[in-house]
């Protein structure tokens, strides 16, 4: 596997002198500055994804990030972001980046493409399980296919947001049945700073909580599952299987046998979810399943090396 320390060359054999890679997620923006293929600075700020924050906030966070990693002479910027569904989406984000790197070539791709590259693959399917969820794949003919990535109102099954919302629904169902709070409800209430499941309703619909807030509540599910709570383990199992179904779609469409690479904060760190993900894909005959071992932003140099 190539790494940031051993980037693939461009088609002409060269590597751009200065490249800035951006991984723009629902909760944060991570930027790495590469000099001659090697990472020399690595910084993070708040999200600059305009599907999650206002354009003003996105611009402010990008300005802060470039102040940290430096602008100056930059040959290329490659940014991966969720919600890049059209050329117009990519152009809108590029316009926020370009003022910080005058003269640089700016390329914007869907963030799942970073994940596949960071997994050391040029073809296959990448699955993001973080604040949201999505799958993206490419085959040797250059054909691409995607599944999910519709946002929290339409999908995001298996994501942090989905787990947080399901924890709230679980707690409210117990309340309606007159049952005492169980371990998951207790952990959720503590995480939210409220003392009654009934208060979760107003909190969920409050302007003070957003998609990222509820995605962070997934930690209550993960922690109680590790303590042995069956309800929480079942939620993680369902999340893994939902993600497997998401991955199976582009695998079929592209005629692939693998690899399928799982990334994102949940995907990389929650063993119960990983086990269910592998089991779900096995039912489709897909056994080349990998968990990402380095952050997606370190796939930037592989992608740059493949670009014309």
């Amino acid at each position: 596997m190539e790494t940031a320390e051993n980037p693939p060359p461009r088609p002409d054999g060269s590597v751009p002198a200065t490249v800035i890679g951006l991984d723009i997620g629902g909760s944060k923006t991570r930027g790495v500055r590469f000099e001659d293929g090697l990472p020399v600075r690595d910084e993070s700020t708040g999200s600059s994804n305009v599907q999650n924050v206002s354009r003003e906030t996105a611009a402010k966070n990008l300005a802060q990030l470039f102040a940290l990693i430096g602008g100056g002479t930059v040959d290329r910027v490659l940014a991966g972001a969720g919600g890049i569904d059209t050329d117009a989406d990519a152009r809108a984000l590029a316009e926020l980046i370009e003022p910080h790197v005058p003269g640089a070539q700016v390329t914007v791709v869907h963030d799942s493409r970073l994940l596949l590259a960071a997994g050391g693959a040029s073809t296959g399917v990448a699955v993001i399980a973080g604040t949201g969820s999505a799958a993206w794949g490419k085959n040797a003919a250059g054909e691409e296919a995607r599944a999910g990535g519709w946002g929290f109102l339409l999908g995001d099954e298996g994501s942090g947001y989905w787990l947080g919302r399901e924890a709230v629904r679980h707690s409210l169902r117990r309340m309606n049945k007159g049952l005492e709070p169980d371990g998951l409800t207790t952990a959720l209430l503590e995480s939210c700073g409220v003392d009654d499941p009934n208060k979760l309703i107003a909190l969920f619909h409050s302007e003070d909580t957003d998609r990222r807030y509820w995605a962070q509540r997934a930690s209550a599910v993960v922690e109680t599952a590790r303590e042995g709570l069956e309800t929480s383990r079942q939620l993680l199992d369902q999340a893994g299987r939902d993600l497997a179904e998401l991955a199976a779609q582009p695998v079929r469409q592209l005629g692939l046998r693998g690899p399928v690479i799982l990334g994102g904060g949940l995907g990389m760190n929650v063993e119960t979810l990983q086990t269910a993900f592998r089991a779900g894909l096995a039912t489709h005959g897909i056994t080349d399943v990998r968990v990402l071992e380095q952050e997606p932003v370190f796939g930037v140099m592989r992608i740059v090396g493949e670009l014309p």
Side-chain angles (χ1 to χ4, degrees):
M1 178 188 301
E2 284 111 342
T3 66
E5 289 72 27
N6 184 26
R10 292 165 58 81
D12 63 3
S14 67
V15 174
T18 304
V19 174
I20 289 179
L22 302 176
D23 182 9
I24 302 174
S27 301
K28 69 176 181 179
T29 300
R30 184 172 180 180
V32 175
R33 187 183 185 95
F34 298 89
E35 301 283 358
D36 298 320
L38 301 177
V40 297
R41 188 163 296 176
D42 185 341
E43 302 287 351
S44 295
T45 59
S47 177
S48 50
N49 188 319
V50 293
Q51 294 204 1
N52 296 282
V53 298
S54 68
R55 191 171 178 84
E56 180 182 32
T57 298
K60 178 181 176 182
N61 288 335
L62 281 171
Q64 181 183 357
L65 182 67
F66 277 98
L68 293 170
I69 63 175
T73 302
V74 176
D75 297 294
R76 189 152 205 163
V77 176
L78 191 138
I84 301 300
D85 300 315
T86 66
D87 290 342
D89 293 333
R91 183 70 243 151
L93 181 53
E95 288 173 355
L96 291 177
I97 296 169
E98 287 168 346
H100 302 287
V101 285
Q105 189 171 359
V106 178
T107 302
V108 176
V109 300
H110 195 275
D111 55 357
S112 50
R113 188 171 177 185
L114 293 182
L115 196 156
L116 186 65
S122 297
T123 62
V125 172
V127 180
I128 292 175
T131 300
S133 64
W136 173 87
K138 183 175 73 170
N139 62 20
E143 297 171 321
E144 299 181 11
R146 284 186 49 200
W150 302 338
F152 69 100
L153 290 177
L154 294 173
D156 275 353
E157 295 89 345
S159 69
Y161 174 84
W162 182 87
L163 282 170
R165 187 193 66 186
E166 291 306 301
V168 172
R169 286 161 55 88
H170 165 81
S171 300
L172 294 176
R173 281 194 294 265
R174 289 186 64 87
M175 178 188 74
N176 286 165
K177 292 176 181 178
L179 300 174
E180 289 296 317
D182 63 356
L184 176 55
T185 299
T186 299
L188 179 64
L189 293 175
E190 290 177 356
S191 177
C192 294
V194 296
D195 58 5
D196 188 320
N198 197 47
K199 294 181 180 179
L200 292 171
I201 302 172
L203 185 64
F204 194 87
H205 295 287
S206 169
E207 293 182 355
D208 295 330
T209 64
D210 57 13
R211 176 186 180 219
R212 288 170 292 165
Y213 177 91
W214 292 107
Q216 290 166 353
R217 306 285 84 75
S219 61
V221 181
V222 174
E223 289 165 6
T224 52
R226 287 173 177 160
E227 292 168 359
L229 186 66
E230 184 60 24
T231 296
S232 297
R233 291 185 64 85
Q234 289 174 357
L235 283 175
L236 291 177
D237 184 78
Q238 185 63 55
R241 290 182 179 275
D242 285 347
L243 292 165
E245 290 302 309
L246 204 65
Q249 294 178 49
V251 168
R252 285 194 302 268
Q253 287 177 257
L254 297 172
L256 295 166
R257 298 181 63 85
V260 175
I261 301 174
L262 178 63
L266 284 172
M268 293 173 69
N269 296 297
V270 181
E271 187 175 348
T272 302
L273 184 148
Q274 294 168 2
T275 299
F277 182 70
R278 292 180 187 276
L281 285 171
T283 66
H284 292 280
I286 303 164
T287 57
D288 186 358
V289 182
R290 311 171 190 175
V291 175
L292 194 64
E293 295 181 352
Q294 63 175 347
E295 295 296 329
V297 71
F298 292 104
V300 162
M301 292 307 298
R302 170 179 278 273
I303 298 174
V304 167
E306 295 172 348
L307 293 173

